[in-house]
Each structure stands twice: as structure tokens, then as C-alpha cells.
Amino acid sequence: MVSEAAGTPARDENGRGFSTTDLLGRAAPLLFLLVLIAVLSYLEPGFRTERNMFNVLRQVSVIGIMAVGMTFVILTAGIDLSVGSVLAFCGMAAAIVARGSRSLLEGNDPGGIQVLWAALAAMGAGLLIGLFQGTLIGYLRIPAFVVTLGGLGAWRGATLLLSDGQPISGVSDDFKWWGQGFIGRVPVPVIVFIVFVAIAFVVLRYSQYGRWIHALGGNQEAARLSGLNTNLLTASVYGISGFCAGVAGFLLTARLNSAEQVAGQGYELEAIAAVVIGGTSLFGGEGGVIGTFIGAMLIGVLNNGLVILNVSPYWQPIVVGTVVVLSVFIDQFAKRRRRGG
Amino acid sequence: MCLPLRWRGVAEGTDNVEDSRPLLQMTGIDKQFPGVHALDDVSLEVHSGECLALVGENGAGKSTLMKILSGVYPADVGTIRIDGREVHPHNPHHAQTLGISIIYQEFNLFPNLSVEENIFIGREPNRAGFVRRRMLREDALAFLSQLGVDLDPGAIVRNLSVAQQQMVEIAKALSLNARIVIMDEPTSALTENEATALFRIIRGLKARGLGVIFIGHRMEEVFAIADRISVLRDGRNAGDMPAGEATAERVVQMMVGRPVDELYVDHVAESIGPVVLSVRGLGRRGTARDASRVVLEGIDLDLRSGEILGVSGLVGSGRTELARAIFGADAYDEGEILLEGRPARIATPQDAIERGIALVPEDRKLQALVLLLSVRENITLPTLSRFSTLGFVRRGAERRLVERFIETLRIRTPSQNQRVMNLSGGNQQKVVLAKWLAREPKVLIVDEPTRGIDIGAKAEVHALLRELADSGVAIMMISSELPEILRMSDRVVVMREGRVAGELSRDDVTQERIMELSTGVRHDAPAA
């Protein structure tokens, strides 16, 4: 054929290109988290306690679970603004089912069965809502921003209709265990959160589906011309996001012992913030759920630290907002250096 | 379209060409891109009141030369003089202030703004930042009437026809005090009447002393409007003559005339087998706004196992659209596709891939590769299910397959995990080929398989395509490069304006015949 010298060798010798700046860009959120923990531990010994650490984890678990679903969406260069409202709707659905089954089965002490129905209602509602929105986005090609912005309003309204404007308070102890209980010394929602992160990690990293999601987010046209069913794949990530919001709604209702109309308001932005801080690109194709876990932890530790240091809670959103912008800046800076642009 | 056998220069208005100092003089222009010597010592002159037709094959260097003139990128070597004064246009805006305006095929208009707003965009007559609407209207009308165009200055550009939008571009050039107007294939989207109207306007520009550079393919039009014809070939000057002294055959020959030994590389297909893919009466219209436009019409085609069918034709002749229709990437309106004699319903790329068809698209970065993913992940994208268990990828099997392709195709990459964006063009193209070879396709469609890759990789890709054909794959190869078509094809189909303009067997095919079919110029005497 042709001599070796004729071809141009590849430019980058570093495999995937782990240059120093690149590594710094990737590890920045983790480094920042560790430094923050160290500083807070030094300033306030109360921060370091096991109880407080689990407290932080419990607080981030609801948003964290939503952020896991959001990671799939953002990997395809999409966005899901509806998750906060979907959470409220599903939490309300769970409470209504639980209440209904209690009166229905009164005296029989239905125990876990009642909670099972409630959980299924929340997860099922979340999945269906997500798939419905996903169908509009994937098959009818309505922009995700528009569909889920509509959902943000509509599912909040549906929650009000469902509950007739009244919160539903007081669920069974079995139900509450999911939000307030412990397994060993670990809070239950924290375990659910970690299980979700682990499953998402394995799926994104080792499964065909995970590969397809990355391909779709990296180059939709190339994915389509490689024979992937891009419409179905697009729809599916919103199904996952809705499902996660449903689970989060169930856990929040359990934790608060009440399903509120205003539950989860603004959570969509925190979930997106966690994903973005974690290094997943809003342009799709790059990132992962471990970053999202770190991002969620970072938000949780920041909020907790501000409380412990007696800073006005009004500062919390300002600090989180700043961290979002800063983390994206550092990430892009590192990439520019790597690509020599 | 049946044209007379011979076109003589019929240009009007040649009488006012002044034989003094040229208005524009480009001398010794040289331009290199990585791996390509795009322009090699090219010179060009345009006089005041003259229309120069710049002709040449796809890739001959016309666009590069015009981009240098209009300041898109600088020349490596060479000078540009306007009225004898040396100029260095360093960006398009600067070129405009020097009096050079270029009108691209894709207009640079704001579709949501009005005609007058487009003409004066960024230069609106204003008082303290507020647009003086009446003055804007009057100025716009003045330029439009100079062109003799009847167009409402308040009309929104989106609602105008292509021809009218072109008038807006020309009015804009006039308002910028353009002295040289470059038109890049201005008639390609026009009807015959519209083209006639455009020519009238070009004559008007000439009468005002402007110089016009007309880039075109259709000999009929070149001879209808040009005072002089300049031919580029492979980035060099191939000829320059007054239109009155030229003939269509001579121009075509100048466009393609390479040394004969470069054109023919002997190869005989080892064994051409039965027909694998047939296309019958395939047709497609434009979408939405240009629903009447013919994209493809009445395409009949057979592709046999073991052969390389070359598909030639000018850019925009429907070659790529044909490939995409067969592959299910775009829907078609009529006709059918048969695989091994049986009608095949191909609605999506998935359908095509399942039936053993593969497409290497024309733009590998936009259509074929996921640049953020690794060599391994790109190669196995269409084959992932083959080494997956319960939805999970078996890494070992995947790695072995990729390793095999990196070796056999000589993909130069430090590792399988290298992101494809870090590979050279040639190696990227091999990754695209590997990705489809892994599926062992029966039909392989390649669209511009060697565009933008260096000579070494190009030869490797050619050898690979030949090997595949010899192993029984049916290959359809679209290419704008005539030498590539001649070297590789067992048979050539030439497309023009969405139709098959002709088919040439390996024994009949010459560059001249292909150019004649693709430009619509016919003549009796076959070139020597």
C-alpha cells in the first residue's frame, strides 16, 4: 500500500488527553468540595460530626436523585425544567394513594403494601409524565426547553387540582420510614440516592444504552446515520428524568410527613446546577453521574456550611449561583487549553 | 435541455471595455492549506466595464481565489492591485471599503428584516441612533431604481423570491460603492427568465464602469454574459481568452486537460456479479418553500456486486441527495428501491443498515463521527449489539474487533481510547470506513471518500475500496474529483439537475465526456 511516512500521525500522545490543566478542570469540583469540607471542619467542629454529615447527605438526596435523571437529559444536550413540579405532583399522588388505601384497608394494618402502592403511584406517574414530555420532544421535535417549561407550570397546576389546594399531611409510619428512617446509621433517602448514582454510573459507563446516550449528545446526526433510533433515545431520557422526579417526590413526602403544593419549587434549577457543577456539558456528550454526585454534595455542603456559620440564608442562592458560573468557567478554560484554541 | 452544438461568444456591451490599466489585477497568487496546494501562481485581471467569467472544475481554486480577493483569508504570496494601487484586504469588511463586493450562493441577508434595512444594515441613516426611516426608504429606492428593479423597499426579505433576494444583494453592493462585484454561481437557483433579468442587470453594472467576476458552470450562460473567460485548473491558470475567440469545447478541454497518463490507472474489476441494488423512478421535490424545485427525478440505477459505480456531476446535481435517499436519511416522494430484486422499504437509516447498506457521508465531522468519543466507541457504534450481553458491552470482544481494524486499515492513533477529534483527516476517514466494514455491508455508498485528506491516506482509501469491491461488495462512489472517478470506477453515472444525465462504461469514459454531461454541453467530436 503506502509508506508509513505518507500518513499524518495523530497529534495527541496522551490517550484521552489527561494533561495537567485537563485533570485540574475535571477534578476541580472534587478539590473544591474537599477544601470546603476541610475549611468548615476547621472553623466549626460541629460540621465534622457523623450526624451532620448524614444530615447534609439527607438534605441533598432529594435534589441529588433528580440530578441523576437530569444527567441523562443533559448528556443528550437537552434540559428538563419540569422536574420540580413533577416531584410535587408525584409526591401528592403518593399521599393520596396512601390515604386511600389506608381507609380502604382500615383495621387490616396493611403495612408495607400501602406504601408499595404509594411508591408505585409516584414512580409510575413520574415515568409516564416524563415519557409524555419526551415524546413531544423526541418525535414531534418541540424544543425540550419549551416542553418542559410548559410542564413546569402545568404539573404544578395539576398538583393543585389533584389536592384541591390543600396539603395532605400525616402518612403511616411505614411510609415515613422512607424519608426519616435509617438502615444501620445511614438515613434511608441517602441509601436510595447512592443506589441511584451507582446504577446510573454502571448504565452510562458499561451499557449499550449509555454509549448511545453519549453518541446522541455528541452528534445527533452522526448517531442517526449510524442507525440509532434517536427519537426513541431522546424520549427515553425524559422518561428517566420523570421517574427520578417521581422517586424524589415520594421520598420528600415521606420526609416531610406531608405532600405540599409548593414542594420542590425551584428544585429543577438546583438539580441542573448539580449536573453542571459536576462537569457535564450543557452541549451534550460529555460528563457523568459521579460528577453530578460531587456537584450535589458541593451544593449541600455549601448550604449546610452557611447555616452552621450563621450566614443569612439569603446568601445561599447567591453562593450556589456563583459556584455554577465559576465551575463552568474553569471547565471551559481547561478545555480551551487542551484543544489549543 | 438540448443545447446547440457550438456556442460562440454572444456577449453584448464589449465595446465599452477600455484597454487601459486594469481595474483589478491579481498577480502570482499562491495559497497552501495543510496538505493541499490550493492556488499556485494564479493571475487574474478585470477591466472597468468588463465581465470576466471564471470557470473551472469543482476544487479548481475559484472559490479560494475569490475568498482571497474578498479578504476571507490572505494569500501566502502574490499581490492584488486596484487601479494599480496595491491593496491587502484583510477581512470582508475591509474588502468592501476597497470596493470589492462578493455575492455568495448563500445570501448574507437577514430574512426577518426588510429590503431597505438589509441594504443599509449597520449603515442606517440616523439621528442620535434613531433610524431616519424616510431617508432610508429614499436611499433604498434610489439604488433599486439604478438597477432598474421594481421592488418594495419595505418588503420583508423572507417573502421574496431567490431572484429578488439576489437583487437586494446587488443593490447593497452598489450602495457600498462597489467597483468589483463577484457573483458566485448566481444563476444556479434562478429560472431562465430570472437569469435573463440578472444578465440585464450585469450589463447595467458594466455600463456604469464596474467590473464583474462571474463564476459559473453552464457554458451557455458563460458565453451569454462574459467578455472574457479565465480558466482555472488544479489551482493554476489554464487559459484566458476573449469570449469571442473561445468555443465551449475549448473551454471544457482547458478545464479538464490533464496529462493523459494521470487519468487512466489500469484496473479491471475481477468479477462483477449480479445486481444487488436497484433504484427505479426515484424522485424527490424540495420541501416547504421551494416545493416545486426538483431535487431528484426519475432516477434509474443498478448497482452490481463487485463493481465500483462512480457517480459524478456538479455540486448540487443531486448526487448526495440520491445517496441519502437510498440510505433512508431523507424521505423520497416517488419510485422504489430494490435489494436483490425485492422491493425494500427503507424509511430510516436503521432500515438501510439492517439490510446491509452503509453510507460514508460527505462531511465526516458533522455527519459521521462523534468527535468527543474515542476511536473505539466510534468504530463500534453501529455494531454494538453484536458484542453486548443483556445490554452491556463486552469490552474484551469490542477491543479485539477495534484492534483488528486499526491494524488492517492502518489507522494511526496512539490508542483505541484516543478521541477521534485528535486524529488527522485521513485517519478519521478510516475510522468511518472501519465502522461500516465491521458490519460487512453488501452495499457501500461513499460520498466524497477522500475529501480533505492527504495523498498518502487517499491512496490507501482507494486501495481499500478496490479490495472491498473485489471481495464482492457493491460500491457506489460519489466524487467531485474527476481523476478519482476515472481511476476508481468500473462504470460512471453522471448527474445533472437531479436527473441521470448519462452513463458511461469504463471504455467510454473521459473527463471531457463527464464534463459535457454534467454541464449540458454536447458536441460530436470526442476528445482525443
Side-chain angles (χ1 to χ4, degrees):
Chain A
M1 295 227 304
V2 163
S3 74
E4 199 69 16
T8 321
R11 277 171 288 157
D12 196 327
E13 276 85 40
N14 300 329
R16 267 224 176 176
F18 281 107
S19 65
T20 331
T21 38
D22 189 27
L23 203 63
L24 196 70
R26 279 162 199 255
L30 181 60
L31 284 177
F32 189 40
L33 178 63
L34 294 177
V35 168
L36 196 66
I37 288 173
V39 170
L40 285 171
S41 306
Y42 174 75
L43 290 176
E44 180 56 61
F47 175 81
R48 235 182 340 202
T49 58
E50 185 188 296
R51 204 169 132 255
N52 188 51
M53 285 316 256
F54 278 137
N55 199 19
V56 170
L57 267 167
R58 199 217 302 263
Q59 276 164 1
V60 300
S61 55
V62 167
I63 285 169
I65 289 166
M66 293 162 76
V68 169
M70 188 71 74
T71 307
F72 284 81
V73 172
I74 292 183
L75 274 174
T76 68
I79 196 82
D80 189 347
L81 299 174
S82 71
V83 286
S85 300
V86 173
L87 172 145
F89 183 84
C90 296
M92 189 60 73
I96 286 172
V97 167
R99 191 178 57 177
S101 62
R102 184 164 52 185
S103 58
L104 201 68
L105 301 167
E106 205 152 19
N108 293 0
D109 186 21
I113 301 296
Q114 171 233 82
V115 183
L116 180 68
W117 286 119
L120 282 177
M123 295 189 293
L127 180 65
L128 288 177
I129 290 171
L131 286 176
F132 170 67
Q133 295 184 152
T135 304
L136 298 183
I137 297 161
Y139 287 88
L140 301 185
R141 311 281 161 88
I142 308 173
F145 189 93
V146 174
V147 169
T148 60
L149 184 64
L152 170 72
W155 302 114
R156 182 72 60 191
T159 310
L160 289 164
L161 280 176
L162 196 65
S163 62
D164 213 11
Q166 298 298 314
I168 298 176
S169 300
V171 294
S172 71
D173 287 347
D174 284 331
F175 196 144
K176 270 190 286 191
W177 178 80
W178 285 92
Q180 302 174 1
F182 291 85
I183 293 176
R185 287 187 300 201
V186 187
V188 176
V190 173
I191 291 173
V192 177
F193 176 33
I194 288 170
V195 167
F196 268 59
V197 170
I199 292 174
F201 175 76
V202 171
V203 167
L204 284 175
R205 183 115 186 195
Y206 298 106
S207 79
Q208 276 180 278
Y209 181 76
R211 189 75 63 79
W212 292 336
I213 294 301
H214 280 96
L216 176 64
N219 187 341
Q220 183 172 352
E221 182 65 0
R224 188 173 83 95
L225 294 183
S226 297
L228 305 192
N229 189 337
T230 49
N231 296 350
L232 181 62
L233 279 173
T234 302
S236 73
V237 294
Y238 294 91
I240 291 173
S241 179
F243 176 80
C244 289
V247 171
F250 172 74
L251 295 180
L252 190 64
T253 297
R255 196 175 93 202
L256 301 176
N257 190 21
S258 172
E260 314 270 343
Q261 287 75 26
V262 294
Q265 232 162 25
Y267 281 20
E268 58 280 336
L269 296 183
E270 291 213 34
I272 293 167
V275 175
V276 170
I277 291 173
T280 297
S281 163
L282 283 168
F283 301 109
E286 257 183 312
V289 76
I290 298 296
T292 300
F293 178 76
I294 294 168
M297 285 299 293
L298 194 53
I299 294 176
V301 169
L302 271 174
N303 286 341
N304 180 267
L306 293 171
V307 170
I308 285 182
L309 296 176
N310 277 324
V311 179
S312 157
Y314 301 152
W315 277 100
Q316 287 182 9
I318 298 176
V319 172
V320 172
T322 308
V323 170
V324 169
V325 174
L326 203 64
S327 61
V328 171
F329 171 73
I330 292 171
D331 192 42
Q332 291 195 338
F333 177 75
K335 272 179 202 152
R336 260 199 300 270
R337 287 288 294 267
R338 167 159 42 112
R339 284 166 202 171
Chain B
M1 201 187 336
C2 183
L3 297 173
L5 294 183
R6 203 165 287 237
W7 284 93
R8 287 245 156 226
V10 288
E12 298 166 33
T14 44
D15 44 351
N16 60 359
V17 175
E18 293 159 31
D19 254 18
S20 58
R21 195 167 54 180
L23 171 61
L24 168 75
Q25 193 173 25
M26 297 178 82
T27 323
I29 303 287
D30 212 279
K31 181 75 189 173
Q32 303 235 21
F33 293 113
V36 188
H37 199 162
L39 292 174
D40 182 0
D41 191 23
V42 172
S43 297
L44 188 97
E45 272 183 19
V46 181
H47 293 260
S48 173
E50 180 187 50
C51 176
L52 173 78
L54 185 61
V55 299
E57 280 176 45
N58 299 325
K62 296 168 298 192
S63 308
T64 308
L65 188 63
M66 290 305 108
K67 280 181 179 161
I68 286 171
L69 180 56
S70 57
V72 177
Y73 28 68
D76 297 339
V77 184
T79 54
I80 303 173
R81 283 196 173 80
I82 293 179
D83 280 336
R85 200 166 49 86
E86 190 168 338
V87 294
H88 302 275
H90 44 71
N91 60 44
H93 179 74
H94 182 224
Q96 277 176 359
T97 62
L98 295 169
I100 301 162
S101 275
I102 182 158
I103 294 165
Y104 291 103
Q105 279 171 283
E106 303 287 327
F107 303 137
N108 284 317
L109 295 174
F110 300 89
N112 51 327
L113 298 184
S114 67
V115 170
E116 57 199 10
E117 285 165 333
N118 266 285
I119 293 176
F120 294 104
I121 191 82
R123 304 172 292 129
E124 299 85 355
N126 66 83
R127 182 180 287 141
F130 290 91
V131 176
R132 304 177 65 177
R133 307 234 41 129
R134 185 142 33 106
M135 197 184 261
L136 182 70
R137 171 78 36 117
E138 284 164 3
D139 290 355
L141 273 173
F143 285 112
L144 289 169
S145 66
Q146 271 188 34
L147 287 174
V149 177
D150 182 24
L151 201 57
D152 171 14
I156 300 299
V157 161
R158 185 192 357 226
N159 304 327
L160 303 181
S161 72
V162 175
Q164 288 171 321
Q165 294 188 15
Q166 200 169 45
M167 300 307 157
V168 177
E169 283 272 19
I170 297 172
K172 186 173 163 185
L174 269 187
S175 77
L176 284 160
N177 295 317
R179 306 193 52 206
I180 299 150
V181 178
I182 305 159
M183 298 190 189
D184 188 5
E185 302 201 25
T187 56
S188 58
L190 302 188
T191 66
E192 237 169 282
N193 285 338
E194 289 170 337
T196 311
L198 174 68
F199 289 170
R200 202 175 56 234
I201 284 169
I202 292 178
R203 283 180 203 113
L205 296 177
K206 281 165 45 177
R208 292 173 172 278
L210 273 70
V212 177
I213 301 178
F214 178 97
I215 300 176
H217 277 303
R218 297 181 202 162
M219 286 303 132
E220 180 188 3
E221 292 172 357
V222 166
F223 281 98
I225 192 65
D227 302 309
R228 208 154 46 80
I229 298 172
S230 197
V231 185
L232 285 187
R233 181 177 73 234
D234 294 342
R236 296 192 192 98
N237 287 108
D240 189 300
M241 69 229 114
E245 294 170 19
T247 62
E249 299 94 273
R250 208 174 135 210
V251 173
V252 167
Q253 227 157 32
M254 283 179 169
M255 284 163 70
V256 299
R258 285 187 185 74
V260 176
D261 53 3
E262 238 183 72
L263 304 185
Y264 303 99
V265 171
D266 46 343
H267 172 272
V268 182
E270 289 189 354
S271 56
I272 290 184
V275 172
V276 183
L277 173 90
S278 304
V279 174
R280 289 288 173 267
L282 194 74
R284 186 188 142 202
R285 305 251 143 201
T287 46
R289 277 201 300 137
D290 51 359
S292 60
R293 190 169 65 94
V294 173
V295 178
L296 295 171
E297 190 172 77
I299 307 265
D300 289 323
L301 208 68
D302 285 315
L303 185 59
R304 293 170 174 277
S305 123
E307 80 169 338
I308 297 180
L309 173 67
V311 178
S312 189
L314 303 172
V315 171
S317 60
R319 305 170 310 182
T320 296
E321 289 74 9
L322 172 63
R324 288 177 62 91
I326 294 173
F327 190 63
D330 296 330
Y332 49 90
D333 301 325
E334 54 190 34
E336 62 176 349
I337 292 166
L338 299 99
L339 278 171
E340 286 161 344
R342 278 188 298 278
R345 243 194 65 76
I346 297 174
T348 63
Q350 261 174 299
D351 297 340
I353 292 165
E354 275 160 23
R355 287 166 174 78
I357 304 175
L359 170 70
V360 174
E362 77 184 314
D363 190 324
R364 63 181 160 269
K365 285 185 184 176
L366 290 182
Q367 301 168 325
L369 294 169
V370 185
L371 294 171
L372 289 169
L373 292 186
S374 65
V375 170
R376 172 171 51 82
E377 289 161 322
N378 270 284
I379 289 180
T380 57
L381 196 52
T383 28
L384 213 51
S385 316
R386 296 202 182 162
F387 23 75
S388 294
T389 311
L390 299 171
F392 284 87
V393 181
R394 295 197 307 273
R395 287 282 173 114
E398 188 189 16
R399 282 184 179 283
R400 279 192 297 279
L401 176 112
V402 171
E403 204 47 55
R404 209 180 75 214
F405 277 105
I406 288 179
E407 258 171 49
T408 52
L409 300 195
R410 302 193 193 186
I411 300 171
R412 281 172 270 277
T413 173
S415 97
Q416 312 196 338
N417 297 326
Q418 175 74 292
R419 286 184 166 182
V420 283
M421 68 179 171
N422 294 326
L423 301 189
S424 69
N427 285 304
Q428 286 181 345
Q429 190 70 333
K430 289 185 196 169
V431 169
V432 179
L433 283 163
K435 147 179 155 174
W436 291 119
L437 298 191
R439 282 204 68 97
E440 294 166 357
K442 282 183 280 193
V443 174
L444 176 65
I445 306 172
V446 290
D447 194 350
E448 304 285 5
T450 60
R451 175 181 284 174
I453 70 180
D454 60 62
I455 295 173
K458 194 166 171 171
E460 287 182 289
V461 168
H462 284 165
L464 178 68
L465 290 176
R466 198 73 254 178
E467 260 174 55
L468 285 170
D470 288 344
S471 75
V473 180
I475 297 179
M476 181 171 144
M477 185 188 75
I478 298 166
S479 175
S480 293
E481 278 185 57
L482 291 182
E484 181 167 75
I485 289 278
L486 293 174
R487 183 179 308 145
M488 299 295 299
S489 310
D490 298 310
R491 196 156 56 91
V492 177
V493 160
V494 182
M495 291 191 68
R496 180 161 56 92
E497 290 164 10
R499 300 171 186 86
V500 172
E503 187 181 314
L504 301 167
S505 74
R506 188 168 181 84
D507 300 326
D508 299 339
V509 64
T510 61
Q511 299 213 28
E512 286 79 3
R513 295 280 295 146
I514 292 177
M515 281 312 281
E516 285 159 22
L517 286 169
S518 49
T519 53
V521 175
R522 285 195 281 175
H523 61 88
D524 317 329

